[in-house]
Amino acid sequence: MFCLTMGGGGQRRGWEYWWVVLRFSFLLCLGEQVSAQIRYSIPEEVKEGSVVGNVFKDLGLDVSTLVERRFRIVSGSKDALFQVNQNNGVLYVQKKIDREELCDGNSACLIDLKMVVENPLEIHYVGVEITDVNDNSPSFPEIAKGLDISESTHAGSHFQLPAARDLDSGMNSIRLYKLSQNANFELEVRDRGDEKVPFLVLQKTLDREQKCEHRLLLTAIDGGNPPRSANLNLTVTVLDINDNRPVFSQEVYTVTLEENGSINTVVIQVKAIDLDEGVNGDVEYTLGRDLNRKVYEVFHLDGVTGEIRVKGEVDFESTEVYRLDVQASDKGQPPMTVSCRVIIKITDVNDNKPDIEVTSLSNLVPEDAKPGTVVSLISVTDKDSGINGKVLCSLSDTVPFELKPSYQDNMYSLVTKQRLDRELVSHYDITITATDCGQPPLSTFKTLSVQISDVNDNSPEFSQTPLQLYLLENNAPGASIFSVSATDKDLNENAAISYHIVRGEGTQNDMASFLNINSDNGDISGLKTFDFESLKMFQFQSCSYRLWNSVSKHQRHSERVHSGSERQRSSDLVSSQH
């Protein structure tokens, strides 16, 4: 594999080995069906037309066959971010890529491309990892934040500040916070899972009579080079009374929830205790204001009980983990607030049917195809995960085809398992069944139509052989004597028949030289007048053969002819042959 890197003030292309090319060869019965998988790495925001890699060459394919084999991408990203040059096999960027938009902030951003070449049909998988560049600055949910802190608040008290968000990931995400220099506060940063949360720590007790308001500046800095930053203006108003704040029983609550949970299901209940009495000890709960919008759509927090309930659709395939900030505030004057983190992990249930994709080599299979001939490639996917996403494929037992599994899970080739005979069955409707391993299992059905094409595997046949008939003497030369007819079970050009008479060596007794046959319809005529007193019986051979065979297959039949004075009988026989 290779990676494309960007640096400096412009674009520069440097190829370096990023990962060893993984290449698999798999022999599918009698045909060679080769699948390979390679991976490239490029940074986001590269210009359109930037080269990712020469896929055709990296797959070890003959470049001289590139155009003939119709190398192309058959599936990948929905917006067609990549394209393959049909002349040289180079994979290039077709559309500018925004990693944050494409992968929605996921740490790994991998685009899987499925590519096909023909003659023979092969499917290859190419993975393109989109690496992050520091193209987004941190941002706070608001430009200013006000805090009310009682003058009776003890030194060492912590106040959670809004966390900045950065769409970039890894080293380019937020790395540190800084607080402007002051005499009363310092900054503490805590790690909560995958996020850094800033806290304002009171170092020195406040005195409202000396200073009733403090103005601070909080700066969030990411780890890019050069780094980017964002500022939040903090205003601390010094107030009185209510000297105890609520305390949650846990700093972080973690719970699991099955997807498709019914509306109003209780997910978890948070609990905060305030040691004050009366209204100063009454606690009410609220969700943080800078959470992902999906949180507000899916969950509801009861402000009195602290219960978090299901409000909307819970879909594992959409979101696997929800992170909620819950604040608990008392009703004192001024109110005191504390927060905790609630992590809700969604578990998968078997709610998606498998999907069957058929890549057909041809829907026309010759009847002389050997057992093991590949007809189609079948790939199966399931949006569920784990055992719910594992899929088994099968065919109906009544067809002469079978599925052969590939080295890759949920990939099969449809092959013939026995000899075919078009004259017996000329068409098959093959039903493919894909069933996942969930409980209960879900199934999908897809029907593939296969037409059996004719080959020249049947010889012509005369309706009767040998044929014995009687002729009247004194026939007119050139007049039709009788006709022969043959049939062939094959179709079209394979069933086209031509007739001829097998000639001898031209001896006196070779009567075939006095006969002529119409090669198109088998009509036989005499070239001389036959005389009963001179010749009472003779025999000859006629032959039928296929017109379009490169190697003729002859089926010879003797025709024995009697001439005589049995006028009425011979007349009946001859008329029956015409």
Side-chain angles (χ1 to χ4, degrees), residues 327-515:
Q327 295 179 342
S329 302
D330 61 26
K331 297 179 181 179
Q333 290 300 323
M336 303 187 74
T337 301
V338 69
S339 67
C340 71
R341 169 62 59 89
V342 178
I343 299 176
I344 303 175
K345 298 180 179 179
I346 311 302
T347 58
D348 184 53
V349 298
N350 193 25
D351 60 341
N352 290 283
K353 290 184 178 181
D355 181 64
I356 302 173
E357 181 182 2
V358 177
T359 303
S360 291
L361 180 65
S362 174
N363 65 346
L364 195 64
V365 179
E367 63 178 331
D368 63 346
K370 296 180 180 179
T373 299
V374 177
V375 178
S376 295
L377 299 179
I378 313 295
S379 61
V380 184
T381 56
D382 195 307
K383 292 181 180 179
D384 294 317
S385 63
I387 195 68
N388 295 328
K390 183 174 179 58
V391 181
L392 301 176
C393 273
S394 62
L395 300 178
S396 54
D397 295 331
T398 58
V399 294
F401 300 90
E402 62 182 345
L403 289 175
K404 292 288 187 181
S406 175
Y407 77 95
Q408 186 174 358
D409 287 344
N410 298 338
M411 188 74 186
Y412 302 85
S413 56
L414 178 67
V415 302
T416 58
K417 69 177 180 180
Q418 65 188 54
R419 293 283 183 176
L420 305 174
D421 189 346
R422 186 206 62 81
E423 284 70 35
L424 294 178
V425 181
S426 62
H427 175 267
Y428 291 92
D429 286 325
I430 305 171
T431 300
I432 303 168
T433 303
T435 305
D436 63 29
C437 297
Q439 291 299 327
L442 300 176
S443 298
T444 298
F445 305 92
K446 193 158 192 174
T447 299
L448 175 64
S449 294
V450 176
Q451 198 77 24
I452 308 303
S453 63
D454 184 59
V455 297
N456 196 14
D457 60 344
N458 289 279
S459 297
E461 294 181 355
F462 284 104
S463 58
Q464 182 180 352
T465 182
L467 175 65
Q468 183 172 333
L469 58 123
Y470 293 86
L471 300 176
L472 291 173
E473 65 178 343
N474 300 323
N475 58 296
S480 175
I481 299 173
F482 60 95
S483 290
V484 293
S485 177
T487 58
D488 195 306
K489 295 179 180 179
D490 293 320
L491 288 177
N492 302 325
E493 64 269 21
N494 292 331
I497 297 174
S498 180
Y499 302 86
H500 75 276
I501 294 175
V502 179
R503 308 292 183 181
E505 298 179 354
T507 62
Q508 184 177 1
N509 295 327
D510 183 12
M511 297 302 296
S513 61
F514 299 103
L515 299 174

Side-chain angles (χ1 to χ4, degrees), residues 22-26 34-37 407:
L22 181 63
R23 194 176 274 126
F24 293 99
S25 296
F26 184 77
V34 180
S35 292
Q37 181 168 344
Y407 77 95

Side-chain angles (χ1 to χ4, degrees), residues 158 188-192 195-199 251:
H158 290 64
E188 179 180 321
V189 179
R190 297 180 184 177
D191 285 325
R192 284 186 173 175
E195 185 179 40
K196 296 181 182 297
V197 180
F199 286 82
E251 176 77 7

